[in-house]
Amino acid sequence: MRLATARAAKANNHGLSAMVSKLRTEQSEERQKVFFVMGIMTARRIKKVGESKGNLMRFVIGHSATPGGVLDRAIDAEEEQHHDFLRLDHVEGYPMKLPSKTQIYFSTAVQQWDADFYVKVDDDVHVNPGVLGSTLARHRSKARVYMGCMKSGPVLAQKSVKYHEPEYWKFGVEGNKYFRHESRAVCAHTPQIMNEDVSLGSWFIGLNVEHIDDRTLCCGTPPDCELKAQAGNPCAASFDWSCSGICKSVERMEEVHQRCGEGDAAVWHTRF
């Protein structure tokens, strides 16, 4: 905002202030106002997800290394039918490109929607939108929050492991831990680190934001989330720590939803 103000002031000296003001007004008017935007990070085709009460949910996906191929055409066909994708100018690739995809998602979402909260989750995490909305609503009056299931895992220097960090030496001696960052669900705003969640955490370190560790975003799969749901306290997000998501999520997601879901009418009865 400060940069935009400075540019506008400079433009005024060249007789362009009216044009800049008009452009900013048009951009503001074009953005749809919603409570929260949820981006579900995916690289595959998934069934449509519903939306209601001014909340937007989109499957966030880029394109293949060969644009116009079979996969891109399949996504285009599904988007034409369901209209639930947020397409990014991003080449899909794991894991080096995930931080870049996350960065592009947030910047794209902010440009398209005027939301109180911007949410990022992975496609192997079970989310109850009603509970999530209620959780976010409790922090609506705060100016800047960075919320999620906070953790601080080890920096993995071994090349043979899944989440090997090529830049591990920047974090000090071997065995050090990452700084505090969210895991699995985040509500938010650049160095890029191998792990996209850690990258996001690093971007927020230099900003004046309140970090909130909300354990309703840290539930395990059944029986953990099921018992809490039966007790009247359904979880906002559920996953398996051992898999950094729901293990075998394609096969198990429907079962987890049936046992840990908040109910089909929950969103409609939730006050945002």
Short mmCIF file of all heavy atoms in Angstrom, two decimals, residues 58 107 171 245 257:
data_model
loop_
_atom_site.label_atom_id
_atom_site.label_comp_id
_atom_site.label_asym_id
_atom_site.label_seq_id
_atom_site.Cartn_x
_atom_site.Cartn_y
_atom_site.Cartn_z
N ARG A 58 -11.98 -23.16 -4.08
CA ARG A 58 -11.46 -23.46 -5.39
C ARG A 58 -10.30 -24.46 -5.30
O ARG A 58 -9.47 -24.38 -4.39
CB ARG A 58 -10.95 -22.19 -6.08
CG ARG A 58 -12.03 -21.15 -6.38
CD ARG A 58 -12.95 -21.63 -7.49
NE ARG A 58 -13.91 -20.60 -7.88
CZ ARG A 58 -15.13 -20.48 -7.34
NH1 ARG A 58 -15.51 -21.29 -6.38
NH2 ARG A 58 -15.95 -19.54 -7.77
N SER A 107 -1.28 -14.36 -4.11
CA SER A 107 -1.31 -13.10 -4.85
C SER A 107 -2.48 -13.07 -5.83
O SER A 107 -3.12 -12.03 -6.00
CB SER A 107 0.02 -12.89 -5.61
OG SER A 107 0.23 -13.92 -6.55
N PHE A 171 20.19 -22.81 8.12
CA PHE A 171 19.52 -22.86 9.42
C PHE A 171 20.48 -23.20 10.55
O PHE A 171 20.06 -23.48 11.67
CB PHE A 171 18.38 -23.88 9.38
CG PHE A 171 17.30 -23.52 8.42
CD1 PHE A 171 17.35 -23.93 7.10
CD2 PHE A 171 16.22 -22.74 8.82
CE1 PHE A 171 16.36 -23.58 6.20
CE2 PHE A 171 15.23 -22.39 7.92
CZ PHE A 171 15.30 -22.81 6.61
N GLY A 245 -0.84 -35.55 6.03
CA GLY A 245 -2.13 -35.51 5.35
C GLY A 245 -2.85 -36.80 5.69
O GLY A 245 -2.37 -37.59 6.51
N HIS A 257 -14.87 -38.27 6.15
CA HIS A 257 -15.95 -37.27 6.13
C HIS A 257 -17.21 -37.81 6.80
O HIS A 257 -17.88 -37.09 7.56
CB HIS A 257 -16.27 -36.88 4.70
CG HIS A 257 -17.37 -35.88 4.58
ND1 HIS A 257 -17.26 -34.59 5.05
CD2 HIS A 257 -18.62 -35.98 4.07
CE1 HIS A 257 -18.38 -33.94 4.84
NE2 HIS A 257 -19.23 -34.75 4.25
#
